[in-house]
């Protein structure tokens, strides 16, 4: 119930912000918002494993890259439409996620962190060196920009800032819906049980491996969705799509926003996309300041910004909610 | 039906390196019994629990439950068959409210699947509601109903241990195995735990309990199995076990049998 | 044959530095459960300090080198006291995230701070070694590389003996094996943490000044170094010192071989490919620690 309230609150804020963006119609702001929306999809995906299941997938960007490359190859080499390539990208990412899962889901804690990270790094070097397919470091260039005619709205094109934002927000909406329903389906409760005490979860019949695979599959699929939209938006896919920097950013979004919460990753995504932009005035001190802000954030809001007091007060007025941080959504 | 034991442990052994933790352990528990497993520290009680519940693999021997050989079966699948254990340390889903913990415990009782849950079908909602009702009922049975919305890790130790039992009960076990349910509890709390055990046994749940508190053991048990150095040295009614020479020798200096 | 020997020696030199890095990472991880993402930045910072002291301020190389290493070690202690220590409390998972974010933040600060101070252009550390190679049984050995290899081996040996034989070493190992038990018997685990964090960063710093002397020094050099150290740690078996050392040499030599016989571009990928292979066959690494990690 409280999850539903929180979701609708989030949607209201998001709708308001999006409407404001479309009205102001500033290309620069729209670009930041578009990237924010795309990365919010990824943050939602990473949060399924890192926040709900409790396994720190430090190679998550792998699925972003798989989605990007699948889309690029299918549109450029096979002449598929972007929409069809997007569906294929999601499926491909899920498949890769399940394969990776076979190896990494035997591991826990820091082992899991480094193992998933190793997969990401291998993918990065494969993308650089498998030139016949990936065109090496130069990457795949000139993806056709997504464009379609919609009945009521007219033509939506990714080349147009407003069109790109609309596409990214649609993707985010899909991601929110999927995450919301999966977490509410009973899988969320099983994940939380596994996260909080895996042995206890097993002792009452929860199949940790099966639920971990489910989390990994959905999270990989969202990564593929984000990667496909990103590829369509920027029109180029290079090995840098697997870059460590992307991984760090998505992780920051989830942890700074609040692991295991609904709104946290989305709030975190827009924060992490926006703050460095705001810091541009600091010129060359921009990144050091950003680093210090991260340290401050983790010292002062270790549960994420959505756990901070104003939010907590807001929540206190609501019925049937645990008195302490909403690390998980309440009963439906 | 009542002739064949619910749980039959046959020649179970477990070695850790050179250390023999359990040596050719054999015993049986019948449906509806309340059996205690006692023995000095290091006798292998917790190892026996881990082997029966599938958290450790035996070096040799097998566990037969309800006529099925459980060898190699994962813990969660054993739980699905109604063989559920609790843990020595208070084990709860710390970040969740007490009632949510218990609902999580009723995982195997969910009738609607994940797909139904995903689409929020009426069946899934009914299922959810009934699991909540059942969870509150279990909390009431365990005297924790006033704590339903408290966060599990905020509860005092004694209540966390009782919550651990409630979580296990929510899965509606056929055989409930409890690992030292009263360890670390004060006299009043111990009393209420034994009352809970008595009540659930009366409701038809077979109970197998590792226990240190002799008052609890002697007052509750239909039968007591005594373990020493990884072997069964006695398996009889409380009165006869209390008089058994081997048992007295094993315990001498450890603590007195009240 | 000569090139083979040459490549093995090159690999051993780099591998020695990897072993230092990985041992430092292992100490920090093993004691505090911190996956230190700023490890490579300490390595970078030490190299820049050596550059600053010797090239800019004219301090003699053999004086500047220990000063650089000790200063970074001191910084490590400060980081542990002011940052890492405060992140305890809360669940184990939260601690893992908090320390990761904190060390990532620190690495961003250090890397970009170094860029502000020293610029992005790679620097060379002037070093006092003769440039002509020493010929040994037909193999050309550059003196600086020989120095790197020998210093690393000596430090690793001293560290090993110190951990096994001294009281401080035994206290560190006890805390490493079982933190709660160590605290229970009255070991000052908090101070041991500080000592270990300082020691761990000093090992990274040493690797930095050594490799910085043979190659170039630039602000982003720490990123790949951190990754390599992670690889070594997982190769060797997390939490295992012999594993970290063996893994370091193994990675160094296999990279050098891959660069010589397969392709220079694949050099950096080889370690991660080996990791994936090792994980599939032996998820606990080559020489796993006895300690259970969860």
């Amino acid at each position: 119930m409280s999850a539903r309230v929180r979701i609708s609150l989030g949607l209201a804020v998001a709708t308001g912000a999006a409407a404001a963006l479309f009205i102001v119609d500033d290309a620069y702001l729209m670009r930041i918002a578009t990237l924010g929306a795309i990365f919010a999809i990824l943050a939602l995906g990473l949060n399924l494993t890192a926040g709900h299941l409790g396994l720190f997938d430090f190679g998550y960007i792998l699925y972003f890259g798989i989605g990007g490359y699948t889309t690029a190859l299918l549109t450029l080499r096979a002449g598929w439409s972007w929409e069809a390539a997007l569906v294929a990208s999601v499926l491909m990412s899920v498949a890769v996620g399940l394969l990776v899962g076979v190896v990494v889901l035997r591991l826990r804690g820091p082992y899991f962190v480094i193992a998933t990270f190793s997969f990401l790094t291998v993918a990065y070097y494969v993308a650089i060196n498998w030139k016949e397919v990936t065109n090496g470091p130069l990457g795949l260039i000139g993806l056709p920009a997504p464009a379609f005619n919609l009945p009521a709205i007219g033509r939506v094109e990714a080349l147009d800032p407003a069109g790109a934002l609309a596409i990214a927000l649609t993707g985010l909406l899909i991601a929110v819906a999927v995450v919301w329903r999966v977490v509410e389906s009973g899988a969320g409760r099983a994940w939380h049980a596994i996260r909080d005490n895996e042995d206890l979860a097993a002792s009452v019949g929860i199949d940790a491996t099966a639920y971990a695979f489910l989390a990994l599959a959905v999270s990989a699929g969202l990564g593929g969705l984000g990667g496909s939209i990103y590829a369509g938006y920027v029109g180029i896919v290079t090995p840098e799509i697997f870059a460590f920097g992307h991984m760090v950013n998505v992780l920051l979004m989830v942890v700074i926003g609040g692991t295991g919460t609904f709104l946290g990753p989305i709030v975190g995504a827009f924060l992490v996309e926006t703050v460095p932009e705001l810091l541009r005035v600091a010129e060359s001190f921009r990144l050091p300041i950003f680093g210090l802000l991260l340290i401050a954030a983790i010292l002062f809001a270790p549960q994420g910004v959505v756990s901070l007091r104003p939010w907590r007060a807001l929540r206190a007025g609501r019925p049937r909610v645990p008195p302490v941080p909403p690390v998980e959504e309440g009963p439906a | 039906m009542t002739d064949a034991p619910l749980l039959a442990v046959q020649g179970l052994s477990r070695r850790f390196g050179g250390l023999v933790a359990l040596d050719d352990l054999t015993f049986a528990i019948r449906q509806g019994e309340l059996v205690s497993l006692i023995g000095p520290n290091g006798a292998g009680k917790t190892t026996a629990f881990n082997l029966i519940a599938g958290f450790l693999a035996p070096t040799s021997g097998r566990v037969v439950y309800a006529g099925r050989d459980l060898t190699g079966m994962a813990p969660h699948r054993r739980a699905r068959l109604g063989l559920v254990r609790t843990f020595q340390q208070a084990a709860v889903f710390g970040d969740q409210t007490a009632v949510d913990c218990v609902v999580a415990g009723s995982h195997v009782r969910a009738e609607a699947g994940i797909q139904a849950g995903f689409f929020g079908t009426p069946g899934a909602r009914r299922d959810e509601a009934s699991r909540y009702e059942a969870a509150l009922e279990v909390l009431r049975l365990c005297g924790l109903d006033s704590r339903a919305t408290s966060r599990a890790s905020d509860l005092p130790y004694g209540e966390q241990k009782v919550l651990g039992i409630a979580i296990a009960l929510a899965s509606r076990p056929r055989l409930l195995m409890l690992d030292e349910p009263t360890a670390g509890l004060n006299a009043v709390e111990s009393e209420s735990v034994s009352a809970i055990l008595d009540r659930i046994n009366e409701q038809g749940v077979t109970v197998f309990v590792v226990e240190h508190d002799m008052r609890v053991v002697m007052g509750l048990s239909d039968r007591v199995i005594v373990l020493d150095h990884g072997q069964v040295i006695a398996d009889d009614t409380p009165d006869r076990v209390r008089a058994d020479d081997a048992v007295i020798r094993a315990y001498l200096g450890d603590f007195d049998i009240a | 044959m000569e090139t083979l020997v040459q490549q093995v020696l090159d690999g051993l030199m780099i591998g020695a530095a990897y072993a230092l890095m990985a041992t430092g990472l292992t100490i920090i991880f093993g004691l505090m459960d911190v996956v230190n993402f700023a490890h490579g930045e300490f390595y970078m910072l030490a190299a820049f300090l050596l550059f600053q002291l010797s090239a800019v301020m004219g301090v003699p190389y053999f004086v500047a080198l220990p000063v650089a290493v000790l200063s970074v070690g001191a910084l490590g202690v400060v980081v542990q006291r002011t940052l890492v220590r405060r992140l305890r409390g809360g669940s184990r998972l939260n601690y893992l995230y908090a320390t990761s974010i904190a060390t990532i933040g620190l690495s961003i600060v250090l890397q970009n701070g170094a860029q502000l101070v020293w610029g992005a252009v790679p620097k060379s550390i002037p070093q006092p070694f003769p440039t002509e190679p020493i010929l040994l049984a037909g193999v050309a050995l550059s003196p600086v590389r020989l120095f790197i290899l020998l210093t690393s081996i000596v430090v690793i040996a001293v560290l090993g003996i110190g951990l096994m034989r001294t009281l401080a070493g035994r206290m560190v190992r006890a805390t490493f094996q079982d933190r709660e038990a160590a605290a229970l018997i009255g070991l000052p685990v908090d101070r041991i943490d500080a000592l270990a964090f300082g020691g761990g960063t000093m090992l990274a710093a040493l690797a930095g000044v050594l490799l910085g002397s043979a190659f170039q020094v630039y602000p982003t050099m720490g990123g790949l170094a951190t990754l390599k150290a992670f690889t070594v740690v997982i190769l060797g078996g997390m939490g295992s010192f012999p594993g970290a050392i063996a893994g370091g040499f193994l990675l160094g030599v296999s990279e050098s071989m891959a660069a010589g016989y397969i392709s220079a571009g694949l050099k950096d990928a080889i370690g991660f490919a080996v990791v994936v292979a090792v994980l599939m066959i032996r998820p606990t690494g080559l020489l796993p620690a006895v300690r259970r990690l969860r």
Side-chain angles (χ1 to χ4, degrees):
Chain A
M1 198 190 296
S2 77
R4 212 162 285 175
V5 176
R6 232 172 296 160
I7 283 273
S8 35
L9 185 84
L11 281 181
V13 171
T15 316
L21 274 170
F22 285 115
I23 292 163
V24 172
D25 196 20
D26 177 281
Y28 171 67
L29 288 182
M30 281 187 171
R31 186 184 154 74
I32 297 170
T34 305
L35 288 172
I38 292 173
F39 278 95
I41 297 172
L42 296 173
L44 281 168
L46 176 61
N47 190 38
L48 289 180
T49 48
H52 291 285
L53 176 66
L55 283 176
F56 181 0
D57 185 348
F58 200 55
Y60 179 61
I61 284 298
L62 174 67
Y63 311 112
F64 181 59
I66 297 287
Y69 269 105
T70 307
T71 298
L73 288 169
L74 287 178
T75 51
L76 288 173
R77 303 260 166 95
W80 286 34
S81 73
W82 174 75
E83 303 93 288
L86 179 135
V87 174
S89 300
V90 172
L91 296 177
M92 186 69 175
S93 301
V94 171
V96 172
L98 293 175
L99 282 177
V100 169
V102 172
V103 177
V104 299
L105 285 181
R106 289 182 293 174
L107 309 168
R108 291 294 178 270
Y111 282 99
F112 186 88
V113 179
I114 295 184
T116 47
F117 182 67
S118 299
F119 272 98
L120 172 62
T121 312
V122 168
Y124 176 72
Y125 286 108
V126 167
I128 287 182
N129 288 288
W130 196 13
K131 296 200 170 67
E132 300 78 32
V133 173
T134 63
N135 198 28
L138 296 176
L140 301 162
I141 304 162
L143 272 73
F148 13 54
N149 294 307
L150 287 182
I153 300 157
R155 194 158 173 77
V156 177
E157 278 189 52
L159 285 177
D160 168 38
L165 180 58
I167 291 171
L169 287 176
T170 309
L172 177 56
L173 214 61
I174 293 169
V176 166
V178 167
V179 166
W180 173 43
R181 286 322 305 166
V182 172
V183 171
E184 289 284 291
S185 71
R189 188 181 293 117
W191 289 336
H192 298 164
I194 295 164
R195 174 192 68 193
D196 290 346
N197 193 330
E198 192 171 337
D199 279 347
L200 179 61
S203 82
V204 290
I206 296 173
D207 184 350
T209 310
Y211 278 100
F213 269 109
L214 177 66
L216 205 61
V218 179
S219 115
L222 292 175
L225 176 70
S228 183
I229 296 176
Y230 181 77
Y233 174 56
V234 297
I236 168 172
V237 175
T238 72
E240 291 309 310
I241 198 167
F242 293 114
F244 183 64
H246 282 318
M247 185 61 234
V248 169
N249 269 348
V250 178
L251 174 68
L252 294 179
M253 292 164 184
V254 175
V255 180
I256 299 293
T259 50
T261 63
F262 264 111
L263 277 182
I266 304 171
V267 173
F270 285 99
L271 269 182
V272 172
E273 280 299 321
T274 321
V275 169
E277 297 294 331
L278 295 177
L279 288 175
R280 277 193 191 282
V281 291
E283 292 177 358
S284 53
F285 288 97
R286 181 170 76 106
L287 284 170
I289 292 175
F290 182 60
L292 289 174
L293 283 178
L294 292 183
I295 295 174
I298 209 66
L299 279 175
F300 297 114
Q303 307 280 333
V305 291
V306 293
S307 73
L308 288 178
R309 205 156 286 130
W311 291 93
R312 221 181 263 162
L314 208 98
R315 227 175 287 117
R318 236 176 280 142
R320 229 181 139 188
V321 165
V324 197
V327 197
E328 49 97 56
E329 77 299 344
Chain B
M1 189 70 183
T2 42
D3 299 85
L6 179 60
L7 177 77
V9 172
Q10 300 169 349
L12 213 55
S13 299
R14 170 71 201 202
R15 278 186 286 281
F16 295 101
L19 181 81
V20 181
L22 276 185
D23 186 17
D24 197 23
L25 187 68
T26 299
F27 64 84
I29 294 175
R30 285 181 299 278
Q31 175 86 45
E33 273 191 304
L34 196 160
V35 179
S36 295
L37 180 66
I38 67 169
N41 282 325
K45 297 171 306 240
T46 297
T47 306
F49 258 44
N50 281 331
L51 292 174
I52 297 169
F55 284 80
L56 268 179
T59 312
S60 63
R62 56 186 202 140
V63 174
V64 178
Y65 168 82
R68 283 179 74 157
D69 184 353
L70 299 187
T71 307
M73 188 185 280
H76 73 266
R77 292 192 45 219
R78 297 181 194 216
R80 239 166 251 188
L81 298 175
L83 193 164
V84 176
R85 59 89 52 96
T86 68
F87 297 84
Q88 203 174 103
Q89 298 300 318
V92 294
F93 302 117
D95 256 351
Q96 306 177 37
T97 61
V99 67
D100 279 325
C101 284
V102 178
V103 174
S106 69
H107 181 83
V108 295
R109 293 291 138 215
E111 317 251 304
I114 293 292
Q115 294 95 325
F118 185 87
F119 294 109
T121 62
R125 284 185 206 187
R126 267 199 309 276
D127 191 44
E128 182 77 21
S130 75
R131 279 173 73 190
Y132 256 87
E133 280 311 311
L136 289 169
E137 186 55 46
V138 171
L139 283 176
R140 223 167 286 138
L141 175 80
C142 296
L144 283 176
D145 37 338
S146 64
R147 300 296 201 173
T149 55
S150 304
R151 200 168 83 134
S153 58
D154 293 341
L155 295 176
Y157 187 81
E159 290 185 352
Q160 286 195 29
K161 284 206 77 157
V162 176
L163 180 56
I165 298 173
I167 292 169
L169 279 179
S171 68
R172 291 201 212 139
R174 208 170 145 195
L175 170 63
L176 179 61
M177 312 206 313
L178 303 109
D179 195 353
E180 301 201 12
T182 67
L185 302 192
N186 63 33
V188 178
E189 292 168 330
S190 289
E191 194 65 38
S192 80
V193 165
S194 37
I196 293 169
L197 296 191
D198 206 22
R199 226 173 301 155
I200 54 189
N201 184 232
E202 266 168 27
Q203 292 182 1
V205 178
T206 309
V207 177
F208 184 35
V209 54
V210 167
E211 189 48 74
H212 261 308
D213 188 329
M214 284 304 141
R215 264 169 314 181
V216 175
V217 170
M218 296 304 164
L220 274 181
S221 314
D222 298 324
R223 193 150 59 86
V224 179
I225 298 172
V226 189
L227 214 56
D228 191 30
H229 294 109
Q231 288 178 308
V232 175
I233 59 167
D235 179 350
D236 218 323
T237 61
D239 287 337
R240 285 201 222 144
V241 161
R242 208 193 316 234
D244 190 296
D245 284 344
V247 176
I248 294 170
R249 242 176 289 124
Y251 270 99
L252 213 62
D254 199 25
F255 49 70
D256 59 325
I257 298 172
Chain C
M1 189 60 203
E2 262 168 53
T3 42
L4 177 70
V5 175
Q6 199 72 54
Q7 256 144 10
V8 170
L9 282 172
D10 267 4
L12 286 177
M13 174 195 68
I14 308 236
Y18 289 165
L20 288 174
M21 291 282 288
T23 306
L25 207 58
T26 300
I27 292 177
I28 293 170
F29 165 72
L31 277 172
M32 281 155 271
D33 279 348
V34 173
V35 181
N36 181 15
F37 285 97
H39 205 57
E41 272 61 42
F42 289 116
Y43 155 96
M44 174 274 299
L45 190 64
F48 265 117
L49 283 182
L50 176 60
F51 166 80
Q52 180 72 23
L53 288 168
S54 60
V56 181
M57 294 158 69
V59 178
Y61 180 84
F62 288 106
V63 178
L65 189 142
V67 170
V69 172
L70 287 171
S71 317
V72 172
L75 179 65
V77 173
V78 171
V79 166
Q80 196 276 336
R81 299 312 283 177
T82 57
L83 186 58
V84 177
R85 196 165 62 117
R86 283 167 200 247
L87 300 172
R88 270 204 191 276
S91 73
R92 211 188 160 100
L93 187 68
N94 262 324
Y95 176 71
L96 180 64
Y97 292 138
T99 52
S100 298
I101 296 286
T103 53
I104 287 171
L106 185 65
S107 78
I108 295 175
V109 173
L110 290 177
Q111 190 184 112
N112 292 284
Q115 183 143 343
L116 282 177
V117 176
W118 289 289
V121 183
K123 305 279 190 291
S124 294
I125 296 172
Q127 21 99 358
F129 303 99
T131 41
E132 304 97 80
I134 304 167
L135 277 176
L136 207 78
V139 181
L141 290 173
S142 103
V144 63
R145 294 181 174 218
L146 210 57
F147 170 71
I148 292 172
L149 185 57
L150 291 178
T151 312
S152 308
I153 289 172
V154 168
V155 168
I156 288 170
V158 168
L159 184 78
I161 293 167
L163 275 175
M164 299 312 285
R165 297 280 161 83
T166 67
L167 180 64
R170 262 184 250 145
M171 278 160 59
V172 167
R173 280 192 299 137
T175 315
F176 200 97
Q177 270 174 13
D178 191 334
R179 193 184 178 81
E180 271 103 64
L184 266 177
I185 60 165
L187 292 185
V189 286
D190 196 41
R191 252 184 280 166
I192 291 172
D193 279 353
L195 172 83
F197 208 97
T201 47
M202 261 165 68
L203 289 174
L206 183 66
V209 292
L210 292 177
L211 285 192
S213 302
F215 303 105
Q216 284 182 311
V217 182
Y218 49 97
T220 53
M221 70 194 267
L224 199 55
T226 305
L227 306 190
K228 294 287 175 65
F230 283 170
T231 317
V232 170
V233 166
I234 203 163
L235 262 182
M238 253 190 150
S240 153
F241 288 115
I245 294 159
F249 284 109
L250 180 70
L251 181 67
V253 173
S254 39
E255 277 187 2
S256 171
M257 293 297 193
Y261 294 100
I262 306 171
S263 122
L266 271 178
K267 182 180 82 92
D268 292 328
I270 200 87
F272 295 98
V274 174
V275 162
V276 170
V278 166
L279 284 175
M280 289 203 212
I281 303 157
R282 219 183 136 92
T284 47
L286 298 174
L287 300 169
V290 187
R291 195 172 85 116
R292 204 176 157 225
L293 281 155
R294 237 178 77 95

